[in-house]
């Protein structure tokens, strides 16, 4: 059974996807998307939220690693959380490391994929729509904008959350909807819970 939890920033709704939260608490925390930024506090805040929820956290950086090593590191993991940052840089490191292959194996096996902000966008069919929010130049070696394809919708986080992006979300929704994609905008107080091919937007 495929399970995903895609959010802008709220992580507490993830607990409802766990069959037994007293046992399934091993979480791999992937901070890599935050690398291009001087201030990494938003990544640290996400980690602290999971600590407060009682997860046993293992940091897994996607830089300078490879698929076999990732399989070894993640073999006892119940949840993989991909934190926010620059989505293009994140995808570049996902492909270079082989994480794109490994995470699909894990999700098929029942491991929960959770993504915050950039990690939520990554789960969809393409990350190109967020080029108005994130700088693609942070990923000079990235050849394709195809996402993981774990969900067939484009997730657009931080909807109506920042005045400097006023109107940009609507432009992205209009543009990519015309291209035939389903675009799901979520606020900072919402998340998307996916079980198999059914998804639900939840308020947190």
């Amino acid at each position: 059974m495929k399970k995903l939890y895609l959010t802008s920033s709220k992580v507490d709704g993830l607990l409802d996807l766990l069959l037994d939260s007293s046992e399934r608490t091993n979480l791999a925390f992937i901070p890599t998307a935050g690398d291009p930024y001087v201030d990494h506090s938003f990544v640290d805040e996400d980690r602290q939220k999971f600590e407060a929820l009682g997860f046993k956290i293992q940091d897994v950086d996607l830089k300078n690693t490879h698929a076999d090593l990732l399989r070894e590191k993640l073999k006892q993991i119940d949840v993989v959380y991909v934190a926010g940052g620059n989505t293009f840089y994140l995808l570049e490191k996902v492909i270079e490391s082989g994480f794109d292959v490994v995470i699909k194996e894990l999700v098929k096996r029942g491991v929960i994929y959770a993504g915050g902000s950039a990690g939520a966008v990554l789960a969809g069919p393409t990350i190109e729509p967020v080029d108005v929010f994130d700088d693609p130049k942070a990923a000079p070696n990235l050849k394709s904008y195809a996402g993981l394809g774990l969900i067939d919708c484009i997730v657009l986080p931080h909807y109506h959350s920042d005045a400097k992006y006023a109107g940009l979300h609507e432009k992205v929704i209009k543009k990519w909807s015309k291209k035939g994609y389903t675009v799901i905008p979520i606020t900072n107080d919402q998340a998307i819970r996916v079980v198999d091919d059914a998804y639900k937007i939840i308020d947190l």
Side-chain angles (χ1 to χ4, degrees), residues 2 4 104 121-126 146-152:
K2 178 176 71 175
L4 312 177
K104 291 173 185 177
V121 178
L122 177 70
T126 176
L148 295 176
L150 297 175
I151 184 174
D152 60 4

Side-chain angles (χ1 to χ4, degrees), residues 24-32 56-62 65-82 94 97-107 109-114 148:
R24 299 189 52 164
T25 56
N26 294 315
L27 182 140
F29 186 91
I30 297 179
T32 309
K56 300 171 185 175
I57 300 172
Q58 176 184 347
D59 278 3
V60 179
D61 195 344
L62 298 183
T65 189
H66 54 83
D68 286 342
L69 184 56
L70 287 172
R71 288 187 182 97
E72 180 64 24
K73 287 183 176 180
L74 299 173
K75 66 181 181 180
Q76 300 298 327
I77 290 297
D78 302 307
V79 181
V80 175
Y81 180 78
V82 182
V94 162
S97 66
F99 178 76
D100 54 331
V101 175
V102 175
I103 190 59
K104 291 173 185 177
E105 295 171 355
L106 294 174
V107 169
R109 206 173 72 206
V111 172
I112 297 172
Y113 175 93
L148 295 176

Side-chain angles (χ1 to χ4, degrees), residues 36 86-96 127 134-145:
N86 185 291
T87 314
F88 297 92
Y89 176 84
L90 172 62
L91 180 58
E92 181 181 81
K93 301 310 171 190
V94 162
I95 294 171
E96 289 176 355
I127 69 166
D134 293 347
D135 186 1
K137 293 179 182 177
N141 298 317
L142 187 61
K143 306 300 182 186
S144 169
Y145 291 157

